[in-house]
Amino acid sequence: MATDTDGETVTSEVAQFSTDTSSREEVLLWVDDHLKWLMTIPAVLILFSLTFYPLLRALQFSTQSYLPTGTVFVGIENYVQLLSDGAFINSLVVTAKFVGIAVTLEFILGFAMALVLNKKIKVRGLWQTLILIPMILSPTVIGLIWRLMYAPNGLLDYIAAPLTGGANVGWISETSVALYSVILTDIWQWTPLVVLVLFAGLQSVPDDISEAAIMDGASRRQRFMDITLPYLKSLIVLILIIRLVDALRVFAKVFILTRGGPSDATNVISMEMYRTAFRFNNFGEASAMAVSLLVLVLILAMSFVNIANVEFGS
Amino acid sequence: MTTKQDTPVETMPYTEPSGLEKLHERLTETGLTKAGVYGALAVFLVWTLFPVYWLVTATLKTRETLLSFPPQWIPVDAQFANFARLFAERPEFVTFITNSVIVTVVTTVIATTIGAMAAYAFVTFDYPYNLDFHLPFYILSTRFMPPIVTIIPLFVIFRGFGLVNTLRGLILVYTMFNIPFAVWMMKGFFEEVPESLIESAMIDGHTHLGAFFKIVLPLVKPGLIASAIFTTIITWNELLFAVILAQSSQAITVPVGLASFVTKFSVQWINMSVAATIALVPVLLFAFMARQQLVRGFSMGAVGK
């Protein structure tokens, strides 16, 4: 359409002053009159039909039971069922461990690295490009990379040999180890994001405030607590929410590394939902899980924002 | 920063530095902290990059040298035939790549266009009920929803419309996925464009739509490129929706194909490494071309997933 109007510019100028406007001209004028709706409707329509409408359908599905003969309305029975479903409760615990450990370590390691780098390293550098690499890789590829590293007699077994006496660790096949191996891949992928975001934040702390504080005799620790931290507050909250919400939806890494095993040790909530819906065809209970997960995410995100406001004071 | 610290000390009121600070200053003087910082950075970079190196070099090894004990750090006797063998043993992988390219290109074009149009409208026009303020927030909020929440109803809806196992279905889902990011990215860029520019273009005889495409879009090219690159990477990488909405080979994309190399009991190590490397190279190239925008995009917290 851009090129159409382009070629027509000269003629349209003439046409506007001539009495008989062509139908093409009328269409263009009509488009311009309604531009504000025409430009937003595609985006709004796609988002409503592919996120809000399915959300309502998920609510509806979660109140139904799927029988070979059709669907039956069962009210809150699916939700009651969830409470006594050992696999679902287990997946909640596994997810909580995964999210808790991964996000905490990513934040601590990333913040420490950003603080160290903020000292002496030039603002922009090759290192920033290089640490982007894990972030942009497909979680599928990351799963495969680590599957290779975790292979029996593979690289990590070799590195760990002095500690294990040569026996294979069973990184993703040993029930007590597997979850931590999956967590490690997440830390590997997302610590660089924390570094990048907090480093950018640290760089934007104005030098003059910090210099004035030095003149007033503020110690390194005081300067960190009273200048740097308040300055970074909103960025810290933002990065934690992003990581929290994102870690809760982990799927591909688990799918590639362990498929939720061994004996459900890495069966995160999205994996459990996938199995319930598409292995056991229990759409009702899987939808109830989906709705519960959504509520959980909303509560977490909102309470997190509230806590952050109270603690740092907005 | 630490060197500046020494000068004002004599003239200003000054509290005695703690032992730790004295140690730090001593270290700075001798240049040890600088070495420490670069040392820490080196360790961090090796930790971040080595796993990728390990995958890429695996494509040149044999099955025996790949899992040899002790490991072969640098591939000797590079097996370039591994690449040919993947396509000989798994010819369908060509289809997977074609599917992924089609889905990624079409999604990127549609999502960026639709997102940019919406963003421009929200910035330019006034809507009733303050919609120009509220709608972008609704759009952004969809990003916080775990995608798996809607996947069951989407599967049922798509089955009804015959969109399961089609590239059209995947394109539709990925467009939905990427619009929020495009809208928010572009909004910032459009806000910088002066209104007078559009007015004068319209006085010159452009329609408003014509002015948008001919005058405004070229001005926000960096934003368009950035959202296109984020969309491309996200779409090329996506597994969850592809696994559920595309199960037959006419719509299987690269990530789903990759997953098929790994079963619970066995892994085709060499083929898997070659295929994963092929999936990884375009992303690396794209990222390298657009490294500035990516660093800025990620640092802004405008994280695309």
Side-chain angles (χ1 to χ4, degrees):
Chain A
M1 202 174 276
T3 42
D4 283 357
T5 43
D6 179 22
E8 216 60 22
T9 337
V10 187
T11 28
S12 73
E13 244 173 84
V14 181
Q16 251 165 21
F17 292 103
S18 69
T19 41
D20 57 333
T21 43
S22 64
S23 61
R24 219 185 102 82
E25 201 69 24
E26 269 168 35
V27 170
L28 281 176
L29 286 173
W30 183 86
V31 166
D32 254 25
D33 282 346
H34 299 83
L35 202 56
K36 85 177 181 187
W37 298 110
L38 291 176
M39 286 180 110
T40 47
I41 278 172
V44 172
L45 206 64
I46 287 180
L47 284 174
F48 269 84
S49 57
L50 293 181
T51 55
F52 290 100
Y53 173 64
L55 206 61
L56 294 177
R57 292 297 297 270
L59 269 175
Q60 181 205 359
F61 289 174
S62 73
T63 63
Q64 292 174 338
S65 186
Y66 284 74
L67 305 170
T69 47
T71 57
V72 189
F73 178 80
V74 292
I76 60 164
E77 201 176 282
N78 285 323
Y79 292 91
V80 177
Q81 195 78 38
L82 281 187
L83 295 176
S84 57
D85 179 349
F88 176 69
I89 304 287
N90 173 64
S91 77
L92 284 180
V93 175
V94 170
T95 309
K97 272 195 204 164
F98 177 89
V99 174
I101 300 174
V103 176
T104 307
L105 287 179
E106 281 157 21
F107 178 72
I108 293 174
L109 290 173
F111 198 8
M113 199 67 214
L115 283 171
V116 167
L117 291 177
N118 189 39
K119 284 220 146 38
K120 282 282 186 291
I121 303 279
K122 274 176 286 167
V123 182
R124 276 191 196 159
L126 182 65
W127 66 272
Q128 279 175 313
T129 309
L130 290 175
I131 66 169
L132 280 177
I133 290 174
M135 286 183 244
I136 53 168
L137 290 188
S138 160
T140 316
V141 172
I142 290 173
L144 294 175
I145 289 178
W146 285 88
R147 188 94 196 228
L148 186 62
M149 313 253 293
Y150 288 141
N153 285 322
L155 185 72
L156 284 173
D157 272 335
Y158 175 78
I159 292 173
L163 299 172
T164 57
N168 286 342
V169 179
W171 298 98
I172 49 174
S173 57
E174 196 62 52
T175 314
S176 57
V177 186
L179 181 60
Y180 301 100
S181 301
V182 179
I183 288 174
L184 186 66
T185 65
D186 200 72
I187 293 175
W188 177 78
Q189 187 183 11
W190 291 114
T191 303
L193 176 71
V194 181
V195 175
L196 213 58
V197 171
L198 293 185
F199 178 79
L202 284 169
Q203 292 279 316
S204 71
V205 176
D207 278 343
D208 49 344
I209 300 184
S210 172
E211 274 159 25
I214 293 170
M215 290 186 199
D216 291 344
S219 73
R220 193 172 295 279
R221 198 171 148 272
Q222 281 174 322
R223 263 155 34 214
F224 180 74
M225 297 303 282
D226 296 338
I227 299 170
T228 314
L229 264 193
Y231 224 89
L232 290 184
K233 182 204 125 189
S234 53
L235 264 191
I236 291 175
V237 174
L238 181 76
I239 189 75
L240 282 176
I241 291 180
I242 288 175
R243 284 306 309 136
L244 205 69
V245 170
D246 195 53
L248 271 170
R249 59 173 78 154
V250 62
F251 176 78
K253 288 190 194 94
V254 177
F255 189 78
I256 299 290
L257 281 170
T258 62
R259 295 277 154 113
S263 32
D264 285 359
T266 58
N267 197 29
V268 289
I269 192 163
S270 51
M271 200 66 218
E272 173 63 16
M273 218 182 288
Y274 170 80
R275 291 209 287 208
T276 310
F278 298 100
R279 287 281 165 275
F280 307 121
N281 285 318
N282 192 343
F283 281 15
E285 204 178 315
S287 295
M289 289 180 195
V291 175
S292 313
L293 176 64
L294 181 67
V295 172
L296 195 73
V297 170
L298 284 179
I299 291 175
L300 270 180
M302 285 199 290
S303 59
F304 197 82
V305 174
N306 283 339
I307 292 168
N309 274 340
V310 172
E311 266 200 6
F312 297 101
S314 55
Chain B
M1 209 184 281
T2 27
T3 42
K4 284 174 196 154
Q5 194 172 343
D6 302 333
T7 28
V9 168
E10 292 135 12
T11 50
M12 293 293 151
Y14 185 65
T15 46
E16 191 60 28
S18 66
L20 206 68
E21 292 213 12
K22 271 183 184 160
L23 178 71
H24 189 274
E25 259 150 52
R26 190 66 49 80
L27 284 174
T28 316
E29 278 163 29
T30 52
L32 271 180
T33 38
K34 191 155 187 172
V37 170
Y38 279 102
L41 181 62
V43 171
F44 184 56
L45 283 179
V46 170
W47 154 252
T48 306
L49 298 178
F50 183 81
V52 181
Y53 165 84
W54 197 242
L55 176 80
V56 174
T57 51
T59 61
L60 302 175
K61 295 177 183 172
T62 63
R63 205 188 175 299
E64 285 68 40
T65 53
L66 178 62
L67 294 173
S68 64
F69 212 78
Q72 198 181 64
W73 298 103
I74 298 161
V76 223
D77 185 23
Q79 306 283 318
F80 290 104
N82 284 339
F83 283 85
R85 208 175 51 239
L86 168 73
F87 292 103
E89 285 177 12
R90 300 285 302 267
E92 69 273 25
F93 210 74
V94 180
T95 319
F96 302 163
I97 294 176
T98 320
N99 287 343
S100 265
V101 170
I102 294 172
V103 169
T104 306
V105 171
V106 177
T107 301
T108 303
V109 171
I110 297 180
T112 312
T113 312
I114 290 182
M117 287 200 309
Y120 177 77
F122 289 137
V123 170
T124 313
F125 301 114
D126 288 323
Y127 287 85
Y129 308 111
N130 233 354
L131 276 181
D132 46 329
F133 176 76
H134 292 298
L135 272 181
F137 269 101
Y138 281 118
I139 289 175
L140 187 69
S141 73
T142 60
R143 285 189 58 77
F144 283 91
M145 191 170 62
I148 194 146
V149 170
T150 53
I151 206 157
I152 296 162
L154 271 179
F155 176 75
V156 173
I157 295 165
F158 274 30
R159 204 170 46 186
F161 283 101
L163 287 169
V164 173
N165 284 327
T166 64
L167 297 183
R168 276 171 298 143
L170 284 179
I171 290 169
L172 208 55
V173 171
Y174 292 151
T175 302
M176 169 271 283
F177 229 65
N178 285 298
I179 284 178
F181 178 74
V183 169
W184 273 85
M185 186 92 190
M186 295 313 298
K187 232 177 130 255
F189 280 89
F190 286 128
E191 275 158 8
E192 305 286 309
V193 177
E195 236 173 273
S196 54
L197 210 66
I198 301 149
E199 278 161 18
S200 61
M202 285 168 71
I203 291 168
D204 285 350
H206 288 282
T207 58
H208 200 154
L209 192 67
F212 170 72
F213 279 109
K214 284 205 45 180
I215 314 283
V216 181
L217 278 192
L219 281 177
V220 295
K221 214 165 135 196
L224 287 175
I225 293 174
S227 20
I229 285 165
F230 271 96
T231 308
T232 303
I233 292 175
I234 292 163
T235 310
W236 178 263
N237 284 346
E238 210 279 337
L239 176 75
L240 177 63
F241 281 98
V243 141
I244 287 160
L245 296 177
Q247 291 142 334
S248 71
S249 68
Q250 79 249 21
I252 285 182
T253 54
V254 171
V256 183
L258 286 177
S260 70
F261 288 107
V262 184
T263 66
K264 212 166 183 174
F265 306 102
S266 71
V267 182
Q268 300 171 295
W269 291 111
I270 300 292
N271 276 350
M272 172 217 101
S273 307
V274 174
T277 303
I278 291 171
L280 164 159
V281 167
V283 173
L284 285 190
L285 281 180
F286 257 109
F288 189 73
M289 286 191 302
R291 56 192 179 281
Q292 300 296 354
Q293 283 101 325
L294 279 178
V295 170
R296 207 174 310 134
F298 275 113
S299 318
M300 280 188 339
V303 191
K305 250 145 277 129

